[in-house]
C-alpha cells in the first residue's frame, strides 16, 4: 500500500494528554482508498448545556430562550441527546458515549469541533476560537482513543495563540474517499490552517465563502457543515449562499467530478439544519442519513426522492433545544470514529 510521509522537524507535547510528537515521524500517510462513512461515532453528554454568549457573535443560528430556565434548557438538551443516541443504536450504529468531565462547557455536546479520527492511525486536535470551548478537549478521551486505536495525536491547538482557527469537521467537510476537503472560510476557519491540514493529510483544498442574511445584512456563515454535507453518492449543499460565481463553479465542478449527485438546498433550509446532516452506516452495512426532525420536515418531496433513490434511510429525532440554543444540529453532535486500515 502506498504511503507518503512528510517530515516534521519539531518535537512538541500535546498539553491536554501528554502525547509527544517526535521529530521526523511521518505526519501524513495517504491511503490508496479511504472510507467515506463509518458505523461508529463519539458523542459527549450535554452536562452543562446552555446559551454560549462567547460563540453567539458569529454563530447566527444561536438564540436566547428567555421563557425557559437554564435547568429546563439543560434537561431538554439531555433528553434530545439521549433520543439521538437511542435512535442510532437501534439502527446498528456504535455510539461511544462519554461524559463532559469538565462540566462547565456549554457546547460540549459538539465534539466534532475539537477532535477527528482518521484511518491513517491519526487523531487530530483542533484550534478553536472561543476560549471557553477549549476546555472541551478532554485528556482522558484523547488518551483512551489513542491507545485503543494505536493512533498518533496530531495537535494543531498551539495555533490558537496566533489567532488561527480550524474547528474540526465543523470548519471542514471531508470527502475522505476522493481526498477532497471543502471549507467555507470564516473567523473560525483560517485558510492557512485549512491548507496545512490538507497538506498534512493529503487532501485537495476547495475554499469558498458563504453568507446568510442577518438583520438586513449579509454575514459570513460560521461553519461549513451547516451549508453542506458530503456522503458516498450525495452532496447536500446550499449553492445560493455562495455569492462568488467562480467559487460556486469550482465547488460544483469538484462535486460532479467526484460523482456526487447534488441536492441543492435553500438558505431557509440551512436555517432548518438541512445541511447539518451526516451519512453513517449500521454494523450490517445499511446506509443511513442522520438529521434532526426539524431538518427532515424541511425537506421537499423532490429532495426526499433524491435521498431515497440512493438507498439511504433517514434517521431523525427532535433536537429543537440543542439547535435553537446551541446553534448546531445532528452532524455537530457526531465525531466519526474511523478504525485504522493498516
Amino acid at each position: 500500500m502506498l504511503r507518503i510521509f512528510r517530515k516534521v522537524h519539531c518535537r512538541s507535547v500535546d498539553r491536554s494528554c501528554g502525547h509527544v510528537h517526535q521529530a521526523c515521524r511521518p505526519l501524513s500517510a495517504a491511503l490508496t482508498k479511504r472510507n467515506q462513512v463509518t458505523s461508529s461515532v463519539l458523542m459527549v453528554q450535554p452536562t452543562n448545556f446552555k446559551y454560549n454568549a462567547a460563540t453567539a457573535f458569529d454563530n447566527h443560528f444561536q438564540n436566547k430562550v428567555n421563557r425557559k430556565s437554564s435547568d429546563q434548557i439543560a434537561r431538554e438538551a439531555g433528553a434530545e441527546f439521549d433520543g439521538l443516541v437511542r435512535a442510532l443504536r437501534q439502527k446498528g450504529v456504535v455510539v461511544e458515549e462519554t461524559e463532559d468531565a469538565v462540566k462547565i462547557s456549554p457546547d460540549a455536546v459538539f465534539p466534532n469541533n475539537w477532535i477527528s479520527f482518521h484511518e491513517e492511525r491519526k487523531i487530530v486536535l483542533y484550534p478553536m476560537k472561543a476560549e471557553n470551548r477549549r476546555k472541551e478537549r478532554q485528556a482522558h478521551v484523547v488518551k483512551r482513543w489513542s491507545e485503543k486505536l494505536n493512533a498518533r495525536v496530531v495537535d494543531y491547538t498551539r495555533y490558537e495563540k496566533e489567532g488561527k482557527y480550524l474547528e474540526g469537521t465543523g470548519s471542514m467537510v471531508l470527502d475522505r474517499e476522493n481526498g477532497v476537503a471543502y471549507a467555507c472560510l470564516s473567523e473560525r476557519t483560517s485558510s492557512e490552517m485549512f491548507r496545512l491540514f490538507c497538506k498534512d493529510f493529503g487532501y485537495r483544498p476547495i475554499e469558498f465563502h458563504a453568507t446568510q442574511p442577518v438583520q438586513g445584512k449579509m454575514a459570513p456563515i460560521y461553519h461549513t457543515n451547516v451549508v453542506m454535507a458530503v456522503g458516498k453518492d450525495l452532496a447536500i449543499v446550499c449553492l445560493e449562499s455562495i455569492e462568488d460565481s467562480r467559487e460556486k463553479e469550482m465547488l460544483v465542478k469538484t462535486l460532479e467530478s467526484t460523482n456526487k449527485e447534488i441536492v441543492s438546498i435553500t438558505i431557509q433550509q440551512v436555517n432548518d439544519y438541512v445541511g447539518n446532516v451526516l451519512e453513517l452506516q449500521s454494523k450490517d452495512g445499511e446506509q443511513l442519513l442522520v438529521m434532526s426532525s426539524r431538518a427532515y420536515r424541511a425537506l421537499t418531496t423532490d429532495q426526499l426522492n433524491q435521498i431515497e433513490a440512493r438507498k439511504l434511510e433517514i434517521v431523525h429525532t427532535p433536537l429543537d433545544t440543542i439547535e435553537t440554543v446551541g446553534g448546531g444540529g445532528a452532524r455537530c453532535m457526531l465525531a466519526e470514529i474511523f478504525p485504522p486500515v493498516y
Side-chain angles (χ1 to χ4, degrees):
M1 180 174 291
L2 176 64
R3 300 179 71 182
I4 301 174
F5 298 140
R6 174 175 174 261
K7 288 186 177 181
V8 183
H9 299 285
C10 68
R11 181 180 178 89
S12 61
V13 178
D14 175 355
R15 298 186 184 279
S16 67
C17 67
H19 181 85
V20 178
H21 297 167
Q22 296 185 13
C24 300
R25 289 180 62 186
L27 180 57
S28 174
L31 302 179
T32 55
K33 192 71 169 179
R34 296 182 180 99
N35 290 306
Q36 182 61 22
V37 298
T38 183
S39 60
S40 181
V41 294
L42 172 70
M43 297 182 67
V44 180
Q45 297 168 358
T47 308
N48 191 48
F49 182 82
K50 61 184 177 181
Y51 180 82
N52 188 354
T55 59
F57 177 79
D58 59 354
N59 181 348
H60 303 294
F61 298 89
Q62 290 180 239
N63 296 275
K64 280 188 175 181
V65 182
N66 295 321
R67 67 183 183 278
K68 296 180 180 179
S69 68
S70 57
D71 287 344
Q72 183 180 357
I73 289 172
R75 286 195 303 272
E76 289 179 357
E80 291 171 1
F81 174 89
D82 292 342
L84 182 56
V85 170
R86 283 195 303 272
L88 292 175
R89 285 176 172 164
Q90 287 171 1
K91 292 298 179 181
V93 175
V94 178
V95 178
E96 300 287 353
E97 187 178 353
T98 187
E99 293 183 352
D100 173 19
V102 182
K103 301 186 186 303
I104 59 173
S105 175
D107 290 324
V109 72
F110 305 132
N112 81 312
N113 295 148
W114 67 267
I115 190 169
S116 66
F117 301 85
H118 302 265
E119 292 171 310
E120 298 94 323
R121 294 189 186 275
K122 303 290 191 300
I123 295 174
V124 184
L125 303 182
Y126 293 95
M128 295 194 290
K129 181 184 175 186
E131 289 188 19
N132 69 350
R133 290 210 62 192
R134 298 171 190 175
K135 298 179 177 67
E136 296 171 27
R137 296 190 292 255
Q138 301 184 46
H140 74 281
V141 174
V142 178
K143 183 176 185 295
R144 177 194 172 196
W145 284 100
S146 61
E147 292 176 351
K148 187 171 182 177
L149 300 175
N150 190 24
R152 186 161 76 87
V153 177
V154 179
D155 185 5
Y156 294 124
T157 63
R158 64 188 180 278
Y159 289 98
E160 288 169 347
K161 295 179 181 179
E162 301 177 27
K164 299 172 183 176
Y165 311 115
L166 185 71
E167 296 188 337
T169 52
S171 288
M172 304 179 291
V173 171
L174 302 180
D175 182 349
R176 297 173 185 254
E177 201 169 34
N178 292 291
V180 182
Y182 300 90
C184 157
L185 301 181
S186 69
E187 291 188 15
R188 302 199 198 186
T189 306
S190 155
S191 176
E192 180 181 340
M193 289 305 307
F194 175 54
R195 290 178 178 272
L196 175 61
F197 171 88
C198 289
K199 183 178 181 181
D200 287 347
F201 283 82
Y203 282 86
R204 176 189 172 197
I206 301 295
E207 297 177 348
F208 60 96
H209 297 78
T211 57
Q212 65 184 137
V214 178
Q215 297 179 347
K217 298 180 180 180
M218 299 306 290
I221 293 178
Y222 81 114
H223 273 167
T224 312
N225 74 355
V226 294
V227 295
M228 71 179 297
V230 173
K232 285 182 67 65
D233 300 310
L234 287 182
I236 297 174
V237 59
C238 180
L239 295 173
E240 69 179 48
S241 70
I242 306 171
E243 297 179 354
D244 188 298
S245 59
R246 291 171 297 180
E247 292 181 346
K248 186 182 301 186
E249 181 182 9
M250 173 61 73
L251 179 63
V252 170
K253 283 186 175 179
T254 305
L255 291 170
E256 291 177 343
S257 71
T258 52
N259 299 314
K260 304 300 181 187
E261 179 184 352
I262 295 175
V263 178
S264 185
I265 63 174
T266 65
I267 285 286
Q268 181 54 54
Q269 288 180 308
V270 168
N271 291 332
D272 289 326
Y273 295 92
V274 177
N276 196 238
V277 303
L278 181 65
E279 185 174 337
L280 295 173
Q281 65 183 19
S282 70
K283 291 179 290 185
D284 298 326
E286 181 183 6
Q287 300 303 119
L288 310 170
L289 189 62
V290 184
M291 64 183 67
S292 69
S293 295
R294 176 178 174 180
Y296 176 73
R297 291 192 299 268
L299 288 167
T300 67
T301 300
D302 288 343
Q303 290 166 341
L304 282 168
N305 289 338
Q306 280 184 280
I307 293 168
E308 291 169 358
R310 294 292 182 171
K311 308 299 182 185
L312 284 165
E313 179 182 353
I314 295 176
V315 178
H316 67 91
T317 62
L319 299 173
D320 295 347
T321 298
I322 291 174
E323 290 176 331
T324 300
V325 178
R331 196 279 169 263
C332 298
M333 298 169 66
L334 306 171
E336 305 128 286
I337 299 172
F338 285 85
V341 296
Y342 62 82

